[in-house]
Amino acid sequence: EVKLLESGGGLVQPGGSMRLSCAASGFTFTDFYMNWIRQPAGKAPEWLGFIRNKANGYTTEYNPSVKGRFTISRDNTQNMLYLQMNTLRAEDTATYYCARRYFDFWGPGTMVTVSS
Amino acid sequence: DIQMTQSPSFLSASVGDRVTINCKASQNINKYLNWYQQKLGEAPKRLIYNTNNLQTGIPSRFSGSGSGTDYTLTISSLQPEDFATYFCLQHNSFPLTFGSGTKLEIK
């Protein structure tokens, strides 16, 4: 059974940093691109970026809205996906989800609140 | 960026009704269009991928169609569990973009 579980969310001050994690199980992690998506309360989701699979060299693509502030990485030995978020702003407040390549499986999400 | 214009934003319907939800892309997305259902407090669930392919385990009352810039999700006979918010997602071009959502409510 495919499972994805995000962690690491919480309250952070504006200008701060936070790293989110996504634990994957039930599939061959290295075969899949992995996405990060966020969704502010009551609004549509926003794709943040993905990291490609082993066959495609684990390269990354980002939404220009977060490029340069957010970094996606993965630890293939631990089946973990990460999202490093820097210089956080109030508008980054959202629920953050990881999802597999074609958005077929999503985790339950972790909430990030950026506030002083 | 490709803009996804989703309509309607709100839809009030009754159990048994046939409903359609539309997404219009600002340019051709070559049928790379998925549909999602989201209930309060839950992650989105994929219903349809690449325009008209039904996700495993999703009831056949859900169907998708379209091409070019215009896409439609149809629910043939609404069931009580279908009242939720629906989103489209284009995955043809970066950045991938979602529609603004349709909230389907009970009349």
Side-chain angles (χ1 to χ4, degrees):
Chain A
E1 180 189 5
V2 173
K3 288 189 177 180
L4 299 170
L5 183 62
E6 304 89 346
S7 61
L11 177 64
V12 60
Q13 291 192 336
S17 297
M18 180 174 276
R19 189 177 83 155
L20 304 182
S21 301
C22 170
S25 62
F27 62 101
T28 304
F29 187 62
T30 52
D31 284 351
F32 286 84
Y33 294 30
M34 294 296 297
N35 294 279
W36 283 102
I37 308 101
R38 69 182 177 186
Q39 186 175 28
K43 295 189 176 182
E46 178 186 26
W47 175 76
L48 301 177
F50 67 45
I51 186 165
R52 292 181 173 88
N53 59 6
K54 181 178 181 180
N56 289 280
Y58 301 126
T59 54
T60 52
E61 297 288 342
Y62 294 97
N63 192 319
S65 66
V66 299
K67 191 172 184 178
R69 289 196 304 129
F70 289 11
T71 301
I72 298 173
S73 61
R74 60 195 295 166
D75 180 343
N76 298 299
T77 65
Q78 300 290 324
N79 287 0
M80 294 292 295
L81 175 72
Y82 301 104
L83 179 67
Q84 177 68 42
M85 304 185 292
N86 297 331
T87 320
L88 284 162
R89 308 163 181 162
E91 53 266 36
D92 295 317
T93 295
T95 297
Y96 285 72
Y97 298 98
C98 61
R100 222 169 55 159
R101 170 67 176 100
Y102 290 108
F103 305 88
D104 52 352
F105 289 95
W106 298 53
T110 187
M111 286 190 62
V112 173
T113 302
V114 184
S115 175
S116 55
Chain B
D1 298 7
I2 294 179
Q3 308 303 315
M4 300 301 297
T5 302
Q6 188 170 342
S7 62
S9 299
F10 296 94
L11 184 55
S12 183
S14 302
V15 172
D17 284 354
R18 177 185 180 91
V19 300
T20 59
I21 298 169
N22 300 293
C23 269
K24 186 175 183 65
S26 58
Q27 58 188 269
N28 182 7
I29 56 171
N30 298 302
K31 296 193 171 185
Y32 290 110
L33 189 286
N34 296 351
W35 289 100
Y36 294 85
Q37 178 192 69
Q38 188 175 31
K39 297 184 177 178
L40 198 62
E42 297 181 4
K45 178 169 70 175
R46 194 172 75 171
L47 304 174
I48 301 286
Y49 62 96
N50 296 344
T51 297
N52 56 10
N53 295 280
L54 190 66
Q55 177 71 25
T56 301
I58 300 300
S60 59
R61 63 180 180 273
F62 292 92
S63 63
S65 63
S67 63
T69 60
D70 294 293
Y71 298 85
T72 299
L73 172 70
T74 300
I75 310 173
S76 60
S77 178
L78 276 173
Q79 298 302 302
E81 61 268 29
D82 299 338
F83 292 94
T85 299
Y86 293 82
F87 295 101
C88 60
L89 163 69
Q90 71 81 17
H91 57 103
N92 180 72
S93 303
F94 297 128
L96 311 187
T97 45
F98 288 84
S100 54
T102 295
K103 187 173 183 180
L104 179 53
E105 299 180 325
I106 299 175
K107 185 183 285 185

